[in-house]
Amino acid sequence: MSSKTLSQRILPFLILFSFANMDLPAQSLLDVLPVIPKPAQMALQEGNFNLTGETQIILLNSELKNEAELFNDYLEENYGLRLKISSARQSKKACINLSLPDVGINSSREGYKLIVKPSGVAIKASTGSGVFYGLQTLIQLLPPGKTNSLSIPGIEILDQPRFAWRGMHLDVSRHFFSVEFIKKYIDYLAFYKMNTFHWHLTDDQGWRIEIKKYPKLQEVSAFRNGTLIGHLGSTPQLYDSIKYGGFYTQEQIKEIVAYALRRHVTIVPEIEMPGHASAVLAAYPELSCSGKPVEVAKKWGVFKDVFCVKDETFEFIENVLNEVAVLFPGEYIHVGGDECPTDQWKECESCQRLMKNIGMKDEHELHSFFMRRVQKLLSKMDKKMIGWDEIIDGGPLPKATVMSWRGTRGGIAAAQTGNDVVMSPTTFCYFDFYQSKYPGEPLAIGGYLPLDRVYNFEPVPDVLNEQEAQHILGAQANVWTEYISTPEQVEYMIMPRISALSEVLWSDKKARDYDAFTKRLIGHFKLLDFKKINYSKAIFDIHEMVLPHSANGISIDLSTSFKQGVIRYTINGEEPISSSPVYESKIIVDQSVGVKAKIFDGPVARGKEYSRVFKVNLATGKEVVLGNPPHEEYSRGGEFTLVNGIAGNIPWMGSDWLGFLGEGLDATIDLGKELTISNVGLDVLRDENSWVYYPKGVRVLVSTDGLNFTSVKKLDEEDLDPSQRLIKMKFDKIKARWVRVLARNYGTIPVNRPGEGKPAWLLVDEISVD
Ligand code: TNX
């Protein structure tokens, strides 16, 4: 059916439609139907279909039994109903018809047509996948919550996906998840019409797949003797001493693969190499260059213990992959390839000899050589190789599929040389990043990836021409679990970001509209509540923007990406309620104040409260000139960050600190007029594991003409206490208009410290003058 006929069928605007006890005009109802990802075409029809225990499922093609059973499982689990399935209509009762008509519904293998009328439901597609997706849509149209009547609005939907690879990844090495949860995770994928589960099965911290030929992978590599407590960036690093681990038996893997297959999800197993191999080397140290024993890693990061490039390694990998290839029927095996330090190869006689013999110019080429050999092994097994974008760093690797995680650059390069690509850039697809800047979020790795950013991801970069763009198979989100240890937390990190990604991957590019999406999402939250799925409400977060205001103080601009409500706020310390003032324009502040705000959807408060204390002093909102610019990675708020009334956030990654690499801070503040001052404060960060060091010394100078400066305070290394985040510099009262604050960078990172020999970072934030 063409889109024209569909739209012609949209009934007049004024007819009211019912959905979940709402009577709404047609267009408004369509807007709130919680179908995610948004179907290609939808048109409401008159009336409703009532699903009851009497409804029958009619299979016009017997191979659709699987889909019908799964639909029945859903009904049974959520509504206590199980419908009769038969191959022909046995009574006049309304029924749900599932069929695979010979004439294709549309050109897409996964597309479907869904018709809901008072007299019955029909789902037609050219494959079982299409019917399955039609049923997912039908499920989303059912009213959430236990109810006596399962009424579905009359509707006609014609739908198909935009991309073939619609994926989600899960790291089960850093933390291990039960078979039961893996199945749930696969359910979530299927519910959002995702079709690829990238199962990250091995890493430094644990090997999680049974390989019969190598029992020590189960006995040794699958367990670690403790785990880092808290963030890798914290000092000192503390560990628990709890033995942690586990693995999936081959029987369990088969069970999961079959479970996924029934839900039209293909599993891409990942076996990491040549880096992230500590767990293997703990069991089989002979596969490293030095042969020295290592332990299954207890903390996160990148480790120097990697596979040695030698025949024994390839023999091991071939044997492992042989077992993996049999277990997973999909065409791809992921072989990692990322973050592989070459230190050990540089010191290894046999690696160096090999490089010389073959004429390789550096270790990148050796990495490439490694991947090429593995690719050959895989093709013998009739499998395609996919790896992280590092696999093409050492030269092109024809026919390999590249998963672009370090931005989209690797993916672009690969598509331009004719490789297939799956996009998964950290900036849009790392669901291990924070999704809210509010305090109280569960500890995460860092970064900031809010829902609207995921939603606005475009997997096909503009620079690609049409032919190159064909190589972008799709995209996926990655869920690395260093800081995600429970199923509830996995749910929190993916919900609702998975729904935004599903729309990126399924729906038409032109149909994407974030505000419209949030309308559907609200209805969808009811479903998540009903199904008791843990999800983030960061969509209701209030964002602040602080700017200097005239001669005195700052202005605070509040906003939200959620356009279906208003912001109400207080500045008297009280909780915002439904009668608090509506935020309409900037709040001007010239003295310290606490601002609280919340989203209200009518009388209903949504999400968490925004609360921030702004500390105003003589420097706040004043002009700052920097003697040297901050490093581009930590310069987001610009020099105003130093005087915006907000002290730097912890966790600091992704927040507004000013960073200087190897260099110090040289900030001159113009107070606007001559004032009497006697105190300067400077906020500094110390996080030596992340190469952020306390300054070696600080100084304050003042001036009345902006040219000649007098030193009023100097603190050297021995005067400073690195445990204090705020450096207080007190001096005798003096008249000044310009205040210059200097902080000396620590310099070179000492030996035996992370980043030894490299320049240290200096991270600073608020400067106060009183
Ligand atoms: C980088 S992304 C990694 C993982 C980490 C992740 C944390 C990639 C190919 N490698 O080993 O878990 O960062 O975000």
Side-chain angles (χ1 to χ4, degrees):
M1 169 180 299
S2 76
S3 62
K4 201 159 164 225
T5 27
L6 249 183
S7 54
Q8 277 167 351
R9 290 184 177 202
I10 296 181
L11 286 163
F13 195 71
L14 282 173
I15 297 180
L16 294 181
F17 292 84
S18 285
F19 176 70
N21 306 324
M22 291 187 289
D23 284 330
L24 291 169
Q27 188 54 46
S28 318
L29 174 57
L30 264 188
D31 288 349
V32 297
L33 283 183
V35 183
I36 295 175
K38 186 178 186 199
Q41 296 175 39
M42 287 202 275
L44 285 168
Q45 303 290 306
E46 209 168 350
N48 293 287
F49 171 75
N50 284 317
L51 195 150
T52 68
E54 301 294 300
T55 306
Q56 290 184 11
I57 302 176
I58 313 286
L59 301 184
L60 297 175
N61 302 71
S62 57
E63 63 260 48
L64 294 174
K65 189 147 190 287
N66 168 54
E67 285 65 37
E69 293 287 2
L70 289 173
F71 181 63
N72 251 344
D73 290 348
Y74 184 90
L75 291 180
E76 183 162 0
E77 190 188 323
N78 296 287
Y79 304 102
L81 283 180
R82 208 164 178 99
L83 308 184
K84 191 163 172 218
I85 301 173
S86 54
S87 56
R89 199 165 168 167
Q90 286 162 351
S91 69
K92 291 222 171 76
K93 296 246 164 62
C95 57
I96 298 171
N97 264 294
L98 307 181
S99 64
L100 301 171
D102 295 338
V103 214
I105 288 307
N106 50 36
S107 55
S108 162
R109 213 186 57 80
E110 297 175 295
Y112 64 92
K113 183 172 173 182
L114 165 69
I115 303 167
V116 179
K117 290 184 186 165
S119 56
V121 174
I123 297 176
K124 299 178 187 185
S126 42
T127 64
S129 307
V131 170
F132 180 75
Y133 293 134
L135 286 167
Q136 298 312 303
T137 300
L138 189 65
I139 282 173
Q140 295 192 354
L141 287 169
L142 292 169
K146 293 246 184 291
T147 129
N148 294 332
S149 114
L150 293 179
S151 166
I152 307 166
I155 201 161
E156 220 175 286
I157 292 178
L158 195 59
D159 201 7
Q160 65 182 78
R162 179 176 169 205
F163 289 103
W165 186 298
R166 304 182 302 279
M168 288 291 293
H169 146 292
L170 183 67
D171 165 10
V172 295
S173 170
R174 276 62 178 264
H175 283 102
F176 182 60
F177 297 92
S178 66
V179 169
E180 187 199 349
F181 182 68
I182 298 298
K183 288 182 178 172
K184 242 190 186 182
Y185 196 76
I186 290 167
D187 285 344
Y188 297 152
L189 266 70
F191 187 69
Y192 288 107
K193 303 188 173 81
M194 298 224 170
N195 62 4
T196 308
F197 171 40
H198 172 173
W199 201 0
H200 186 79
L201 285 162
T202 76
D203 215 304
D204 298 293
Q205 297 79 5
W207 180 281
R208 307 274 175 241
I209 170 172
E210 180 190 19
I211 300 294
K212 303 234 192 240
K213 200 170 172 92
Y214 296 102
K216 280 196 277 177
L217 290 176
Q218 285 72 252
E219 288 153 25
V220 178
S221 310
F223 297 91
R224 58 177 180 256
N225 288 318
T227 303
L228 179 79
I229 297 170
H231 201 278
L232 179 66
S234 54
T235 354
Q237 286 180 341
L238 300 174
Y239 296 84
D240 64 31
S241 51
I242 304 165
K243 183 172 173 182
Y244 182 93
F247 62 92
Y248 306 98
T249 62
Q250 294 204 351
E251 281 315 302
Q252 290 174 321
I253 301 244
K254 283 183 206 155
E255 182 187 328
I256 289 171
V257 166
Y259 186 92
L261 203 65
R262 285 191 68 196
R263 288 151 184 84
H264 303 274
V265 171
T266 303
I267 303 185
V268 177
E270 180 178 352
I271 306 295
E272 269 270 17
M273 62 191 80
H276 288 293
S278 308
V280 181
L281 301 179
Y284 300 99
E286 61 271 24
L287 300 177
S288 73
C289 291
S290 68
K292 287 202 191 108
V294 297
E295 61 171 4
V296 180
K298 288 156 48 182
K299 66 171 180 180
W300 326 122
V302 174
F303 298 82
K304 290 181 183 164
D305 305 296
V306 306
F307 283 112
C308 188
V309 193
K310 58 185 176 190
D311 289 342
E312 294 90 312
T313 300
F314 293 108
E315 191 191 317
F316 170 83
I317 287 171
E318 179 167 13
N319 289 332
V320 167
L321 292 179
N322 265 329
E323 292 191 33
V324 173
V326 174
L327 289 169
F328 295 92
E331 54 178 344
Y332 284 101
I333 292 184
H334 198 301
V335 289
D338 61 310
E339 299 181 322
C340 179
T342 53
D343 308 53
Q344 297 190 345
W345 296 349
K346 283 191 179 124
E347 280 162 24
C348 166
E349 241 174 71
S350 84
C351 288
Q352 292 302 317
R353 202 174 327 116
L354 174 68
M355 285 171 63
K356 209 165 150 212
N357 288 348
I358 301 193
M360 291 183 249
K361 71 172 188 304
D362 59 19
E363 284 74 18
H364 285 305
E365 287 189 13
L366 188 59
H367 185 270
S368 184
F369 169 87
F370 188 104
M371 298 321 301
R372 271 200 310 273
R373 260 190 84 164
V374 173
Q375 188 179 27
K376 278 205 196 100
L377 295 178
L378 283 175
S379 61
K380 272 204 295 190
M381 302 166 198
D382 229 7
K383 296 287 178 185
K384 284 192 191 167
M385 178 166 107
I386 178 163
W388 300 108
D389 56 65
E390 282 95 333
I391 63 171
I392 52 166
D393 279 356
L397 206 59
K399 296 212 171 74
T401 299
V402 173
M403 194 168 264
S404 192
W405 73 279
R406 298 173 301 174
T408 51
R409 255 195 319 184
I412 292 170
Q416 285 169 338
T417 51
N419 293 70
D420 283 344
V421 172
V422 175
M423 286 295 187
S424 197
T426 52
T427 38
F428 293 95
C429 295
Y430 269 47
F431 288 5
D432 57 338
F433 284 14
Y434 285 100
Q435 53 199 316
S436 168
K437 288 190 179 178
Y438 278 17
E441 280 293 291
L443 181 71
I445 193 159
Y448 177 55
L449 178 58
L451 187 70
D452 54 332
R453 192 173 169 86
V454 177
Y455 194 84
N456 289 317
F457 176 45
E458 173 45 44
V460 181
D462 281 345
V463 295
L464 298 183
N465 66 34
E466 215 172 299
Q467 199 198 343
E468 292 158 353
Q470 298 295 319
H471 287 291
I472 309 294
L473 304 180
Q476 72 176 35
N478 295 334
V479 184
W480 300 103
T481 57
E482 289 95 332
Y483 302 96
I484 305 176
S485 57
T486 64
E488 294 70 33
Q489 209 185 336
V490 173
E491 287 178 355
Y492 183 81
M493 298 309 271
I494 67 167
M495 300 287 181
R497 288 187 286 197
I498 185 177
S499 59
L501 184 66
S502 79
E503 204 145 308
V504 168
L505 293 172
W506 180 280
S507 308
D508 277 356
K509 186 179 173 185
K510 285 197 289 293
R512 264 198 275 149
D513 173 341
Y514 181 73
D515 291 343
F517 166 72
T518 59
K519 275 195 195 173
R520 279 175 286 122
L521 189 59
I522 293 300
H524 214 101
F525 281 172
K526 289 201 190 114
L527 203 65
L528 296 179
D529 286 330
F530 169 51
K531 291 181 71 59
K532 299 204 170 51
I533 295 169
N534 189 25
Y535 64 96
S536 161
K537 300 189 177 76
I539 177 183
F540 305 116
D541 280 6
I542 292 168
H543 309 283
E544 69 196 359
M545 185 154 88
V546 185
L547 290 172
H549 180 70
S550 65
N552 225 352
I554 47 178
S555 70
I556 302 157
D557 190 7
L558 300 181
S559 64
T560 166
S561 66
F562 180 68
K563 301 293 180 228
Q564 329 297 331
V566 295
I567 299 173
R568 294 183 184 273
Y569 75 106
T570 65
I571 50 169
N572 59 3
E574 284 174 12
E575 306 305 307
I577 52 173
S578 60
S579 57
S580 301
V582 172
Y583 172 85
E584 267 155 357
S585 59
K586 295 186 175 85
I587 306 167
I588 313 292
V589 159
D590 60 4
Q591 50 186 304
S592 296
V593 69
V595 178
K596 293 185 174 179
K598 207 161 192 183
I599 301 282
F600 282 83
D601 195 347
V604 186
R606 299 263 199 198
K608 284 202 218 162
E609 181 181 276
Y610 162 90
S611 172
R612 168 82 82 192
V613 174
F614 293 89
K615 288 246 167 79
V616 176
N617 58 71
L618 299 178
T620 312
K622 300 290 159 60
E623 194 184 311
V624 185
V625 175
L626 293 177
N628 50 292
H631 190 276
E632 60 176 298
E633 238 179 271
Y634 292 101
S635 61
R636 217 176 34 187
E639 53 270 30
F640 175 62
T641 300
L642 297 174
V643 293
N644 65 359
I646 307 171
N649 279 326
I650 303 286
W652 56 275
M653 280 177 255
S655 70
D656 291 342
W657 288 81
L658 277 197
F660 299 87
L661 185 59
E663 287 188 279
L665 166 76
D666 178 358
T668 304
I669 301 165
D670 179 356
L671 300 177
K673 59 178 183 239
E674 226 171 84
L675 295 165
T676 304
I677 62 169
S678 61
N679 267 306
V680 168
L682 174 67
D683 223 355
V684 295
L685 189 95
R686 178 168 168 244
D687 188 350
E688 294 180 0
N689 285 319
S690 304
W691 310 6
V692 181
Y693 276 69
Y694 212 71
K696 271 255 164 87
V698 288
R699 254 179 102 177
V700 178
L701 302 99
V702 297
S703 166
T704 49
D705 60 6
L707 297 170
N708 302 298
F709 282 81
T710 330
S711 176
V712 290
K713 189 76 184 181
K714 184 165 180 281
L715 296 175
D716 291 319
E717 200 175 1
E718 57 276 17
D719 310 317
L720 291 170
D721 175 2
S723 71
Q724 298 299 313
R725 223 184 95 174
L726 177 65
I727 301 178
K728 292 180 184 164
M729 293 163 276
K730 206 169 162 41
F731 42 89
D732 291 339
K733 279 190 180 156
I734 190 165
K735 278 194 180 281
R737 174 167 167 183
W738 285 272
V739 180
R740 186 171 177 198
V741 182
L742 302 172
R744 194 141 52 89
N745 190 301
Y746 183 88
T748 303
I749 297 174
V751 284
N752 289 329
R753 303 288 305 146
E756 69 170 77
K758 299 252 170 48
W761 284 92
L762 172 70
L763 259 70
V764 296
D765 192 355
E766 208 63 3
I767 297 178
S768 62
V769 177
D770 290 295

